[in-house]
Amino acid sequence: MIKQLKFVLIIVLLSSLIMPSSALAATSISVIVDGERVNFPDSEPIIERNRVLIPLRGVFEKIGAKVNWDKSSETITSTLHRGNEQKQVIMKIDSKFIHEMDQNTGAKSKISKIDTTAKSIGSRTLIPLRAAGEAFGYEVSWDEKRSTVIMKKGDTLTSKKSSFQQYQYIQSDTYIPDEFEFEVFFLTNEQRVSNKLTPLTLNANISNVANIKSKDMLINQYFDHTSPTYGSPFDMMKSFGLNYRAAAENIAAGQNTPAKVVNGWMNSSGHRANILSSSYTQIGVGYYYGSNSNYRHYWTQQFLTPFSS
């Protein structure tokens, strides 16, 4: 398959419960929250990939969180109030990414990448316990001798140290990045961190524009930074209300996985320079697929530093 990469640069103005693999799924697993045992009347916790997964409502309701299940989108939204704090944790079935939103910080939140996802097994919905507990500021530990998970309330709803990689995220009222777009974001920040650079913040408003750019390339069958619909990347960003003092764009086509596209960019000097630039603080990622297009897979990264930074 033909694969292409392009970049453009401009500066203007000046988220584990790890057990030995010998652990048996049939072993009865206990969960203790703040000294009290949690009852699971309908189904028991299980072990998958050396992680404990628990029935959805048991632990969340034990800590006082309200749980909402959206069947159509397979999304679990849990909200917990404690004193002046309020936090919302969002998981999706089979998604590697958890959205943690502190209600006191507006649109700013965090995205964590986990290694075992929430599952639907028959009529049961199971969630990874360590990820869920730490998301609400709990210390989570495993007592192997007793096959028991122990959760202790933290001083705040924010975990002192997460067991999972997490980065800052600015949400949007109109756009939620998909699994591939989140993955490209995490892979991009891995490259920055390994080169001792500050991780970028994922801005879903920028991802919306990047997604539209990828879709535009597919629909109009072109591969270029200049869109016949929106003009240059910088004109396009401004037309969607993105104001910046520095900005850049990477595009690619043909790569069918996030790992392949990030690897391709990192092996191209111009794209690599954009990814590893200290001139930008935020990123948006857009992916679009179409089976009847030249390259099928279209990718866009847009980088910027807003005037307020």
Side-chain angles (χ1 to χ4, degrees):
M1 177 178 290
I2 300 173
K3 300 177 183 178
Q4 292 199 35
L5 301 168
K6 285 196 178 183
F7 74 94
V8 64
L9 167 66
I10 188 170
I11 298 178
V12 296
L13 298 183
L14 292 205
S15 262
S16 63
L17 224 18
I18 301 178
M19 285 164 284
S21 58
S22 59
L24 300 176
T27 300
S28 179
I29 300 168
S30 298
V31 179
I32 296 176
V33 177
D34 294 328
E36 296 185 8
R37 188 178 300 274
V38 180
N39 294 318
F40 300 99
D42 300 323
S43 58
E44 293 294 319
I46 67 168
I47 296 172
E48 180 176 292
R49 296 178 60 191
N50 294 333
R51 299 284 187 184
V52 171
L53 282 80
I54 59 167
L56 170 59
R57 297 186 181 274
V59 169
F60 275 168
E61 292 182 349
K62 187 71 173 178
I63 67 176
K66 294 182 178 180
V67 181
N68 179 68
W69 165 249
D70 186 324
K71 185 176 181 180
S72 61
S73 64
E74 296 190 313
T75 299
I76 305 153
T77 302
S78 303
T79 306
L80 180 61
H81 297 261
R82 186 190 298 165
N84 295 324
E85 293 183 282
Q86 179 180 332
K87 191 170 186 180
Q88 192 172 78
V89 175
I90 302 171
M91 301 181 182
K92 292 190 69 172
I93 297 298
D94 295 327
S95 173
K96 295 185 293 183
F97 303 98
I98 294 180
H99 179 193
E100 301 178 26
M101 182 170 58
D102 185 340
Q103 302 289 320
N104 300 326
T105 59
K108 292 184 179 180
S109 55
K110 292 181 180 179
I111 288 290
S112 298
K113 183 178 179 180
I114 59 178
D115 53 14
T116 302
T117 68
K119 302 288 182 185
S120 284
I121 302 177
S123 61
R124 300 181 301 165
T125 299
L126 302 173
I127 60 173
L129 179 52
R130 177 175 289 280
E134 289 186 348
F136 281 122
Y138 275 76
E139 178 185 334
V140 184
S141 60
W142 169 250
D143 185 330
E144 184 176 352
K145 290 183 178 179
R146 296 190 295 158
S147 295
T148 299
V149 181
I150 301 169
M151 294 177 57
K152 294 181 180 179
K153 183 189 300 182
D155 295 332
T156 70
L157 294 181
T158 301
S159 178
K160 293 181 180 179
K161 185 177 181 181
S162 175
S163 300
F164 307 96
Q165 184 62 65
Q166 56 182 202
Y167 296 115
Q168 296 294 320
Y169 174 57
I170 299 174
Q171 64 181 1
S172 167
D173 292 333
T174 58
Y175 189 77
I176 299 175
D178 68 14
E179 202 79 356
F180 268 16
E181 291 165 349
F182 278 130
E183 183 69 18
V184 168
F185 166 62
F186 271 78
L187 291 172
T188 298
N189 267 345
E190 285 177 15
Q191 295 293 335
R192 290 180 64 87
V193 171
S194 66
N195 283 276
K196 298 180 171 55
L197 293 167
T198 301
L200 298 168
T201 295
L202 180 64
N203 187 328
N205 296 297
I206 306 174
S207 286
N208 178 46
V209 180
N211 178 269
I212 292 170
K213 174 62 177 286
S214 293
K215 181 179 180 180
D216 186 59
M217 287 193 291
L218 182 149
I219 290 175
N220 291 301
Q221 293 296 286
Y222 73 95
F223 182 72
D224 199 277
H225 289 291
T226 301
S227 162
T229 310
Y230 302 102
S232 75
F234 314 108
D235 291 337
M236 184 177 184
M237 290 179 196
K238 289 179 178 177
S239 72
F240 281 89
L242 301 177
N243 295 311
Y244 54 84
R245 58 185 175 87
E249 179 180 88
N250 285 343
I251 58 175
Q255 298 84 357
N256 63 358
T257 68
K260 288 178 181 178
V261 73
V262 173
N263 183 63
W265 281 328
M266 289 301 295
N267 283 298
S268 165
S269 60
H271 302 90
R272 179 186 177 91
N274 281 343
I275 288 172
L276 299 183
S277 174
S278 60
S279 298
Y280 315 116
T281 59
Q282 298 182 7
I283 186 175
V285 180
Y287 167 74
Y288 209 84
Y289 172 81
S291 59
N292 296 322
S293 60
N294 289 338
Y295 301 108
R296 295 190 178 183
H297 307 270
Y298 290 80
W299 308 84
T300 303
Q301 286 180 317
Q302 291 181 340
F303 308 84
L304 64 78
T305 296
F307 282 116
S308 56
S309 295

